[in-house]
Amino acid sequence: MPLVPPANELIGVDSSGSMLDEYIDAASRIGVARRTIHGTWPEVAVHAPVADVVVCHHVAFNVTDIVPFMWALTDHARLAVVVEIPTAHPMSAWAPAWQHFWGVVRPDGPTSDDLLAVLREMGLDPEFSISTRGRPSAYEADPANLVPVARRRLCLPPERDGEIAEWLARHPPPFPDKMANFRWPGSAEMPH
């Protein structure tokens, strides 16, 4: 929604119907024209129109095959593709807890540097910058959510909530506070 104005129409693509419902509500509140496409990118790319700017926000770490995903973004943008992700995979913040509660060593990647390497290997040569997250995380905004989220993330039963809370008080998860921003030209043709 921060793209309005200058954007006068937004097209939202998501595999989650509830996320698209929130998107529709937000677009309606600011009075901008909007379309939605329910499905997984790039599988639904055939249903997506070309846009001046394509924005991919906090999704890239969930993509199983990143190269076709990024090519489909590029092919749908006339002017630019903009991708933003945390500098570290958000689940990597739980690695110390996995080690503590289960004795499992979890990977510390992928990272934004990995995505940058892939994009460069694809020949896209993006502009790249790091910024500080502009708002507090959901856990900072409501710390009471941290224990139930930790329990789910760590696959622990509710009867261990006290132990989880005690451990988290001494070892707050190092959630990424830096965002990686990528920008490169789109390849779609401009209208005549």
Side-chain angles (χ1 to χ4, degrees):
M1 300 309 141
L3 301 174
V4 177
N8 58 17
E9 180 183 27
L10 302 176
I11 303 160
V13 178
D14 206 295
S15 61
S16 166
S18 62
M19 291 292 285
L20 288 174
D21 289 344
E22 289 183 34
Y23 166 82
I24 290 168
D25 290 345
S28 296
R29 281 193 301 276
I30 64 171
V32 67
R34 83 282 191 256
R35 292 189 236 179
T36 59
I37 300 170
H38 187 210
T40 305
W41 191 266
E43 288 78 13
V44 297
V46 296
H47 305 293
V50 168
D52 288 337
V53 177
V54 172
V55 177
C56 178
H57 191 250
H58 295 251
V59 174
F61 285 137
N62 296 334
V63 176
T64 56
D65 196 354
I66 197 72
V67 172
F69 185 96
M70 293 299 164
W71 280 130
L73 293 177
T74 305
D75 292 343
H76 277 76
R78 288 185 196 96
L79 300 175
V81 177
V82 177
V83 174
E84 180 180 85
I85 59 172
T87 54
H89 192 292
M91 294 303 109
S92 67
W94 296 107
W98 275 96
Q99 175 85 38
H100 173 79
F101 287 100
W102 292 102
V104 173
V105 176
R106 302 282 302 197
D108 59 2
T111 68
S112 59
D113 289 340
D114 296 322
L115 179 57
L116 181 59
V118 168
L119 294 171
R120 286 180 173 160
E121 189 172 306
M122 292 171 64
L124 294 174
D125 194 30
E127 296 172 19
F128 175 72
S129 64
I130 302 289
S131 61
T132 302
R133 187 177 56 211
R135 57 180 166 42
S137 72
Y139 310 114
E140 292 164 330
D142 187 0
N145 283 330
L146 190 54
V147 170
V149 167
R151 179 187 342 113
R152 285 190 304 278
R153 295 284 186 224
L154 299 170
C155 305
L156 294 168
E159 52 269 14
R160 295 193 64 187
D161 280 1
E163 181 185 354
I164 295 168
E166 183 180 311
W167 191 84
L168 290 171
R170 291 190 324 269
H171 306 93
F175 295 113
D177 64 347
K178 302 274 190 251
M179 297 296 127
N181 308 284
F182 305 85
R183 182 186 176 281
W184 64 91
S187 63
E189 289 187 20
M190 295 296 284
H192 299 293

